[in-house]
Amino acid sequence: MKKAWLAVAMALVLVLGACGSNKGGEASSSPKSGGDASGGSPSASTSPSASASAGKLFIPIVSKGFQHQFWQAVKAGAEKAAAELNVEITFEGPETEQQVDKQLEMLQVALDKKPSAIGFAALDSQASIPLLQKAKDAGIPVIAFDSGVDSDIPLATAATDNIAAAALAADKMAELIGGEGEVAMVVHDQTSRTGIDRENGFKNRIKEKYPKIKIVDIQYGGGDHLKSTDLAKTIMQAHPNLKGIFGSNEGSAIGVVNAVTEMKMDGKIVVIGYDSGKAQIDAIKSGKMAGAITQNPIGIGYETVKAAVAAIKGEKVEKNIDTGFFWYDKTNIDNPEIKAVLYE
């Protein structure tokens, strides 16, 4: 990861920490600034009408959700770039990462506002292509973030190399279970680019490098920790010799931790996660989770807005903006470089 990110990220960690310290639960901050837990119309972090009157560039950012602190960190990075570049943004997403249709409605509403550019993290790598084509036809630059789409329409995608990151998770799993035995996966979905790449990254590394390890089950929990808990419990009941489970995002990983706890299998099953959040950080510190992959969500948000502004100005942008990833566990969780990219 570029060192420049650390300065940006560490400054924003203080902002996120402040948010976390007074939230008393995610609900107070998330719906207020983005996703609307009440089920009403999507809320926005800033007013596009105000931006229009001020003559600023207007860039709506449509994320995959707000239910995880990951998205709050992405939002913080986007707002940081917007402030630096003097542009107006909105940041919104559906209540859950299973609401593809609602996300498409949000994208349509954003396009109807005739924005200067748009940032988009697809819940479905193909379903949004017709709307993105409309953006292209209207001359609206599209910057993908977190999850790309199966199209060349986005001028750039700011994201983690999820295949490489999940392969690292597989290496860690192999190391921790002694290079042999049965493992399973709880993946957040089969439709987003992140779900597909993380599943393939983990699965293919195991197949290619660890012939004595068998992946006995792969389930999809929609990133919902309750559903992921049930799935992980079912997997453990069906495979009593299971040695480890990989949870592919924040909700999946917490679901696996909760399942292991409820089944009283702490210390008997290796849990490896993805992303951050207070529950995962606590699980790693307590030993319930062996470790996890952390992305750089602040950097993802920052790069998305930065690339959008560059595209609006007709400047060249990198097609793939790699925002980096790290493995973290109990041994390095307090290192400054790691703390800068964790979020609660």
Side-chain angles (χ1 to χ4, degrees):
M1 185 180 72
K2 298 174 182 177
K3 289 188 175 181
W5 280 123
L6 289 177
V8 175
M10 292 190 73
L12 284 166
V13 161
L14 298 176
V15 175
L16 291 171
C19 292
S21 66
N22 61 15
K23 64 183 184 305
E26 293 83 0
S28 64
S29 60
S30 298
K32 179 180 176 182
S33 56
D36 182 354
S38 67
S41 59
S43 58
S45 58
T46 50
S47 167
S49 58
S51 69
S53 62
K56 288 184 176 181
L57 297 176
F58 168 52
I59 306 168
I61 310 292
V62 180
S63 80
K64 292 166 69 175
F66 264 93
Q67 72 273 43
H68 299 147
Q69 288 304 302
F70 177 86
W71 297 114
Q72 291 296 313
V74 174
K75 177 174 178 285
E79 290 177 339
K80 171 71 173 174
E84 289 181 1
L85 299 170
N86 194 31
V87 299
E88 201 74 37
I89 68 167
T90 56
F91 197 104
E92 57 194 337
E95 287 83 4
T96 78
E97 295 183 18
Q98 301 173 62
Q99 294 177 300
V100 175
D101 289 345
K102 184 160 186 177
Q103 190 194 43
L104 294 178
E105 290 175 10
M106 290 178 166
L107 180 58
Q108 179 64 68
V109 169
L111 292 173
D112 289 344
K113 294 176 182 175
K114 297 179 171 38
S116 309
I118 192 163
F120 184 63
L123 281 171
D124 188 305
S125 61
Q126 296 185 3
S128 60
I129 292 175
L131 287 178
L132 298 183
Q133 184 64 49
K134 288 176 65 175
K136 181 180 180 180
D137 294 344
I140 300 170
V142 176
I143 305 298
F145 67 99
D146 182 68
S147 288
V149 295
D150 296 334
S151 165
D152 291 331
I153 294 174
L155 298 178
T157 300
T160 304
D161 182 341
N162 284 293
I163 292 178
L168 176 59
D171 287 336
K172 294 294 182 181
M173 177 68 81
E175 176 185 336
L176 291 166
I177 65 171
E180 61 181 330
E182 297 181 350
V183 300
M185 303 169 67
V186 176
V187 181
H188 49 289
D189 63 57
Q190 296 175 278
T191 57
S192 72
R193 200 64 255 168
T194 59
I196 295 167
D197 288 349
R198 291 176 199 172
E199 177 181 341
N200 288 338
F202 188 93
K203 184 171 62 180
N204 292 339
R205 177 60 62 88
I206 292 293
K207 287 182 178 177
E208 293 164 1
K209 194 173 176 181
Y210 305 104
K212 294 184 179 180
I213 297 177
K214 182 179 181 182
I215 298 175
V216 295
D217 203 349
I218 302 174
Q219 295 292 329
Y220 305 92
D224 180 84
H225 73 278
L226 295 176
K227 184 175 180 181
S228 298
T229 299
D230 291 340
L231 290 172
K233 288 166 68 175
T234 300
I235 291 172
M236 284 187 281
Q237 289 166 342
H239 302 281
N241 296 321
L242 200 68
K243 284 189 170 181
I245 306 179
F246 170 53
S248 69
N249 79 344
E250 185 178 343
S252 306
I254 292 307
V256 173
V257 168
N258 291 342
V260 169
T261 300
E262 291 179 22
M263 298 287 284
K264 301 186 187 306
M265 295 294 284
D266 290 314
K268 298 178 181 177
I269 290 182
V270 173
V271 179
I272 287 180
Y274 209 108
D275 294 325
S276 179
K278 188 177 187 309
Q280 281 202 84
I281 291 172
D282 289 346
I284 289 174
K285 289 183 175 177
S286 70
K288 288 181 177 291
M289 182 179 289
I293 299 292
T294 181
Q295 306 180 77
N296 178 7
I298 294 168
I300 290 173
Y302 187 93
E303 271 300 337
T304 300
V305 173
K306 182 181 174 184
V309 172
I312 294 166
K313 293 179 178 178
E315 299 171 358
K316 185 178 180 180
V317 295
E318 294 182 33
K319 188 69 175 175
N320 297 302
I321 303 170
D322 185 353
T323 50
F325 62 87
F326 294 89
W327 166 260
Y328 69 105
D329 57 21
K330 191 181 291 186
T331 67
N332 68 353
I333 196 169
D334 292 321
N335 290 355
E337 187 178 44
I338 296 299
K339 291 181 76 170
V341 291
L342 297 182
Y343 50 91
E344 295 191 353

